Amino acid sequence: MNAEEYKTIRQAHKNVFGDTFDKAFGSNAQAQELLTVALLYLSRQDHEKSKPLLDMLESMAESAFDEASVWYFKGLSYELLGDEEQMAEYYEKVLDSGVDLSVSLVYTPYYRSAKLNQKASKPKKAVYYFSKAMEFFEGRNVTPATAKAVSQMLYDAATVYLYMHDYENCEKFLKLSQDFSKAQNQQRDYVEAILAAINGNAQKCKEIVEKLSNDTLRISCLKLTEAILSGSDLHYCEVPQDRDNFEEFLAGFAEREEFLRNQIVLNNAETVEKTLSGVLSAVFDYVNRAVECEIQMNNDIVIVKCKNYYIRTLKKEQEALFSQISEKFPNWKFISVDE
């Protein structure tokens, strides 16, 4: 590329990534050129050409800022590839470095890490990173593009609070989202309808649903809100379940209790976790997801933490079974945890 094209590409990268691009390798013209070309390939999703350049740049880093910048771009590369594990690893390295990368709000690693944890059903961690992303935004100029991005971020945070049953914060962040963008947002209306259903306001819920012009969204919203209003939605309601299989679980646990404990003593806790996860997932099969378990020892007491994913029905049913386990097996303590 000629000098003018190079200048244009660098300016385009700076517009998107701010100082994270502009200040990286500030005293190394060769490294700046490599980074410019690497991001050009990255924008074209040509990872075979961008990856070796980013690897080379990581070894050329002369400061913590240089290093954090490369980690950020590597995280973005893996995000575009759909490799969420590697993406999370590099974004975490950026955040743990303590380096304040100045990129646009949409591209800040805090926001991207929040979305990653939201998708992974880790809402507490997602809320933490959303709060850090909001701190990043404070004091910065609000352009129309930034306002739209902030509005989306606040909406995303509201949906996490909804998932966690923190309805007060959900309403608060929905309102803040609307303050930054007055444009109609049917996803925001969708959440408003769910809140109305949770509050038992069937009329308001109906009015919102009828205004949704997107057929797919309207049908989905209608189905969910009707389930909430009728008390049959597993996540938002405590729906009574058949507990006949509790006795079967308890009988099977009695037969294998000594074996399971011995496996823990032999440092095979992971095997026991998988075994209990499989059995409990069968007991609570109506939630259609694995009940993940984690084992800890407290003297002679085996503590088994089982996820309920904020599903209110699952939490209630777990607590009912776990109380029976405590009565029959005092050296075991099963706990229902949100995440």
Side-chain angles (χ1 to χ4, degrees):
M1 69 183 79
N2 60 41
E4 191 60 35
E5 288 174 332
Y6 178 74
K7 182 179 178 180
T8 300
I9 292 170
R10 280 196 63 83
Q11 185 60 49
H13 290 339
K14 182 179 178 180
N15 291 343
V16 175
F17 299 113
D19 289 346
T20 300
F21 169 76
D22 194 42
K23 292 184 178 180
F25 302 97
S27 60
N28 189 329
Q30 181 189 6
Q32 283 189 333
E33 184 174 341
L34 286 174
L35 181 58
T36 302
V37 175
L39 295 187
L40 178 62
Y41 286 133
L42 192 61
S43 69
R44 296 171 178 173
Q45 298 201 29
D46 190 340
H47 301 284
E48 289 186 6
K49 291 182 179 178
S50 65
K51 187 179 185 304
L53 294 178
L54 291 173
D55 289 341
M56 189 185 307
L57 284 162
E58 189 171 9
S59 67
M60 294 171 67
E62 298 175 354
S63 68
F65 191 93
D66 293 346
E67 197 169 45
S69 296
V70 177
W71 287 339
Y72 173 74
F73 291 122
K74 279 192 156 188
L76 182 59
S77 176
Y78 282 114
E79 181 177 357
L80 294 172
L81 277 168
D83 187 338
E84 295 182 353
E85 185 174 344
Q86 288 291 316
M87 172 186 75
E89 179 181 331
Y90 279 102
Y91 283 159
E92 288 286 352
K93 288 176 77 169
V94 173
L95 299 175
D96 291 342
S97 72
V99 175
D100 181 18
L101 295 183
S102 298
V103 295
S104 70
L105 178 65
V106 177
Y107 285 96
T108 173
Y110 290 119
Y111 185 38
R112 303 182 93 77
S113 294
K115 293 291 290 179
L116 171 68
N117 282 284
Q118 180 182 16
K119 186 176 180 180
S121 298
K122 297 178 180 178
K124 289 180 182 176
K125 204 168 184 181
V127 164
Y128 168 76
Y129 284 128
F130 275 128
S131 69
K132 297 298 289 184
M134 291 169 204
E135 288 177 15
F136 171 90
F137 160 74
E138 289 175 1
R140 296 176 185 269
N141 292 329
V142 181
T143 64
T146 302
K148 184 177 180 181
V150 173
S151 177
Q152 181 62 41
M153 177 187 68
L154 292 166
Y155 163 78
D156 289 334
T159 63
V160 176
Y161 282 118
L162 178 67
Y163 177 84
M164 297 169 69
H165 308 293
D166 186 343
Y167 306 130
E168 183 177 348
N169 270 317
C170 178
E171 290 186 38
K172 172 185 171 182
F173 280 87
L174 276 184
K175 185 179 183 305
L176 288 171
S177 172
Q178 192 167 24
D179 288 343
F180 276 94
S181 177
K182 303 294 184 182
Q184 184 182 10
N185 185 324
Q186 294 200 46
Q187 289 181 321
R188 210 158 49 206
D189 295 339
Y190 187 107
V191 176
E192 290 268 14
I194 294 173
L195 286 172
I198 289 168
N199 292 325
N201 192 335
Q203 183 58 38
K204 181 179 179 181
C205 183
K206 180 182 178 182
E207 291 172 359
I208 296 173
V209 172
E210 288 178 348
K211 290 180 181 179
L212 295 175
S213 59
N214 183 296
D215 290 341
T216 302
L217 205 62
R218 185 176 65 257
I219 292 169
S220 173
C221 189
L222 180 62
K223 182 179 179 180
L224 177 55
T225 53
E226 284 182 344
I228 294 171
L229 288 166
S230 66
S232 62
D233 181 80
L234 297 175
H235 187 87
Y236 295 101
C237 311
E238 294 181 351
V239 185
Q241 300 293 318
D242 182 357
R243 297 177 179 176
D244 289 346
N245 55 7
F246 281 15
E247 288 300 322
E248 183 179 344
F249 172 85
L250 293 168
F253 188 77
E255 292 176 2
R256 295 177 59 82
E257 188 265 342
E258 184 176 354
F259 169 77
L260 293 173
R261 178 177 282 276
N262 288 337
Q263 289 297 304
I264 295 170
V265 172
L266 293 171
N267 292 320
N268 291 330
E270 186 176 344
T271 300
V272 178
E273 288 170 352
K274 289 181 179 178
T275 300
L276 290 174
S277 175
V279 177
L280 288 170
S281 297
V283 172
F284 305 114
D285 60 349
Y286 47 82
V287 298
N288 295 318
R289 69 183 302 173
V291 177
E292 295 180 22
C293 300
E294 178 185 341
I295 289 176
Q296 298 175 352
M297 290 295 297
N298 184 4
N299 296 323
D300 289 334
I301 305 297
V302 182
I303 300 174
V304 185
K305 295 182 178 180
C306 303
K307 292 186 179 181
N308 62 52
Y309 307 102
Y310 293 88
I311 302 173
R312 287 199 155 161
T313 296
L314 179 58
K315 181 177 182 179
K316 181 179 180 180
E317 295 302 304
Q318 283 181 345
E319 291 174 346
L321 174 59
F322 297 167
S323 66
Q324 294 185 40
I325 294 175
S326 296
E327 291 175 7
K328 296 178 181 293
F329 308 97
N331 289 330
W332 290 75
K333 185 175 182 180
F334 282 67
I335 304 173
S336 180
V337 296
D338 295 327
E339 60 175 302

